[in-house]
Amino acid sequence: MAGQEKAVDTNDADRFADGVEISEQELAHRKQFLELGDADVARLTGINDLARRYADEVIDDFYRHLMSFGDTRSFFSDPQVLRHVKSMQKEYFLRLTQGKYDLDYVQDRLRIGAIHERIRLPTKSYLGMYNFYLRAVAARLVEAFEKKPGEAWATFLSLLKLTFLDMGLAIDTYIASSERTIRAQQEAIQELPTPVLPFREGMLLVPIIGIIDAQRARQLTEQLLGSIRSNRAKMVVIDITGVQSVDTRVANHIVQTVEAARLMGARVILAGISPEVAQTMVTLGIDLGRILTVGDLQSGIERAEHMLGYVVARSRAGETAVG
Amino acid sequence: MRASILKQGNVLIASVQGSMSDADLAQMRDELVGDVRRYRSTGVIVDVTMLDVMDSFAARTLRGIAQIIKLLGATAIIVGIQPEVAFAMVQLGLTLEGIHTALDLEEGLVVLKALGTEAHER
């Protein structure tokens, strides 16, 4: 079990390595911006004993608060998980007052941010938790420095700076993660295969779905022209029912592909141009005059079959629809 | 390198080699035109399968051949344009407008037959 957890943790740490990259310089810059200096570090380490004394109490309050809200409660429904999280949280709080806010510290914070992101804890809850913690600690500080309210206030401000450093890192992990997701999805869209399907002898069907960018258009052309040769196709039906938009470049690319196919002795029928795409093409002044276009895929296939001399007839069994 | 021109019934088949200079191409054109008259051919197939680059001169020459042959009362078909060549040609605007094309020699013969040039004279 312990081994398993370890494996997960390292995995997470790796995930950040490509997401958020904090260099020594960047850390120094962030600290500078928050005006987090040696005096703050001294003050924070000064309350380490105090923090140790109050840690359990603060954490109990903290989770009582969390458990009183439905959306946060759902994250800690398992008592075993709750116990584990509490001990982690204690460590986390204590770490705030242990000094050495270096790259290791940053890495640790990023890791924790990623864990929260992974369980999909909303940022509002995450930040809300910081807020609760700061208020709880503020009350303790006021009690502890009863005689020196100035000191309590200064220590609190130091803590505020450090927690803001933490929050910044945490938010970065959230953003990095969603950016990763967006990137992965973009790649998935780009890698959507555009199959060139032999439909009948001498006939190819190319259904295009999604976004056609320049790279995908080029790939499509290569694949289609190659398939015309290898399948000895004479008719190609390109169905663009699933294409929401085209730009000038892509439209021109389609036109060029159709012409290239003709040079290889194949005719292309373009089927399923949506009203929006049609309008765009006209507005952009793209000349599809020489291209055979039909309304939908069915018409495209029928036209292609007709041109190849196929006669499709329904059998008697089909007419009566008896299996 | 010179193009080889073969006579097959009423059809002339010219194979363009991979390395033909502009002069070679022009010579092929002249020979084809002469042969169409001499043999009273009804169809001409120009096979460019071996050609991996088509420049504007070559495209213009092919186009010229097709037009001249049409004036002589025969039909010309360009066959065997490779996928990469086809796309490169289109990008250069060399679309061989109004000229018959077919995938390869075999298809070219089928197209000629369909156009009735072979049946015409037997």
Side-chain angles (χ1 to χ4, degrees), chain A residues 250-313:
Chain A
V250 170
N252 277 328
H253 200 94
I254 291 175
V255 173
Q256 288 178 335
T257 303
V258 172
E259 302 257 332
R262 191 179 54 80
L263 287 178
M264 294 181 62
R267 291 209 60 179
V268 177
I269 296 176
L270 201 57
I273 298 183
S274 70
E276 294 81 27
V277 172
Q279 216 149 39
T280 318
M281 283 184 161
V282 172
T283 315
L284 293 175
I286 293 154
D287 180 21
L288 291 181
R290 289 198 300 263
I291 296 179
L292 194 52
T293 51
V294 295
D296 56 15
L297 180 59
Q298 187 185 346
S299 320
I301 289 171
E302 283 167 1
R303 181 74 74 89
E305 281 172 342
H306 177 75
M307 288 168 81
L308 283 177
Y310 284 108
V311 178
V312 181

Side-chain angles (χ1 to χ4, degrees), chain A residues 83-306:
Chain A
R83 219 170 14 252
H84 176 70
V85 173
K86 272 187 175 180
S87 79
M88 297 276 287
Q89 202 70 51
K90 184 174 171 184
E91 221 173 277
Y92 178 85
F93 285 165
L94 289 177
R95 184 69 188 85
L96 284 169
T97 56
Q98 283 169 347
K100 285 222 290 184
Y101 307 115
D102 54 8
L103 281 183
D104 280 345
Y105 177 86
V106 167
Q107 206 56 37
D108 185 53
R109 266 34 187 166
L110 288 175
R111 192 174 60 80
I112 290 165
I115 291 169
H116 286 104
E117 188 281 325
R118 206 185 49 191
I119 62 169
R120 306 233 169 273
L121 182 75
T123 40
K124 61 178 180 189
S125 308
Y126 198 37
L127 295 182
M129 283 157 75
Y130 274 108
N131 177 276
F132 186 90
Y133 168 74
L134 284 171
R135 283 185 289 119
V137 173
R140 300 296 190 291
L141 284 175
V142 170
E143 260 173 47
F145 291 96
E146 217 176 346
K147 304 273 162 51
K148 297 179 281 182
E151 190 61 23
W153 183 236
T155 309
F156 182 72
L157 286 183
S158 300
L159 190 62
L160 202 60
K161 292 175 189 176
L162 186 61
T163 43
F164 268 78
L165 177 71
D166 281 17
M167 281 195 271
L169 293 170
I171 301 283
D172 282 351
T173 61
Y174 272 75
I175 293 171
S177 156
S178 55
E179 275 174 354
R180 243 195 325 271
T181 310
I182 293 168
R183 217 172 21 246
Q185 283 170 346
Q186 272 173 343
E187 277 165 17
I189 291 169
Q190 269 165 10
E191 281 166 17
L192 265 186
T194 304
V196 177
L197 312 165
F199 187 73
R200 288 192 193 290
E201 206 185 311
M203 184 169 153
L204 296 174
L205 180 61
V206 189
I208 306 178
I209 291 168
I211 302 158
I212 323 179
D213 57 9
Q215 196 206 333
R216 203 171 161 215
R218 203 164 47 239
Q219 196 189 335
L220 169 76
T221 304
E222 261 170 46
Q223 223 178 326
L224 177 59
L225 298 182
S227 298
I228 288 174
R229 185 171 59 172
S230 56
N231 289 290
R232 308 182 57 79
K234 284 203 270 289
M235 290 296 312
V236 179
V237 180
I238 299 181
D239 175 53
I240 59 166
T241 311
V243 175
Q244 305 303 327
S245 66
V246 290
D247 58 16
T248 324
R249 247 176 93 189
V250 170
N252 277 328
H253 200 94
I254 291 175
V255 173
Q256 288 178 335
T257 303
V258 172
E259 302 257 332
R262 191 179 54 80
L263 287 178
M264 294 181 62
R267 291 209 60 179
V268 177
I269 296 176
L270 201 57
I273 298 183
S274 70
E276 294 81 27
V277 172
Q279 216 149 39
T280 318
M281 283 184 161
V282 172
T283 315
L284 293 175
I286 293 154
D287 180 21
L288 291 181
R290 289 198 300 263
I291 296 179
L292 194 52
T293 51
V294 295
D296 56 15
L297 180 59
Q298 187 185 346
S299 320
I301 289 171
E302 283 167 1
R303 181 74 74 89
E305 281 172 342
H306 177 75

Side-chain angles (χ1 to χ4, degrees), chain B residues 8-92:
Chain B
Q8 159 78 42
N10 291 323
V11 179
L12 290 177
I13 299 165
S15 296
V16 175
Q17 305 301 314
S19 54
M20 282 183 83
S21 65
D22 291 355
D24 292 335
L25 277 170
Q27 194 189 350
M28 179 184 83
R29 177 189 58 207
D30 298 343
E31 278 183 40
L32 267 178
V33 172
D35 284 357
V36 168
R37 299 210 65 141
R38 190 175 323 134
Y39 301 120
R40 306 184 63 232
S41 304
T42 54
V44 172
I45 293 177
V46 181
D47 187 357
V48 297
T49 308
M50 300 300 288
L51 212 58
D52 41 22
V53 177
M54 176 95 69
D55 59 16
S56 57
F57 182 84
R60 240 194 349 267
T61 309
L62 287 178
R63 196 192 169 91
I65 290 173
Q67 285 166 341
I68 294 166
I69 284 170
K70 189 170 173 226
L71 290 176
L72 296 173
T75 309
I77 300 184
I78 314 291
V79 304
I81 299 179
Q82 297 301 300
E84 309 80 45
V85 176
F87 198 69
M89 284 174 70
V90 171
Q91 284 184 316
L92 293 172

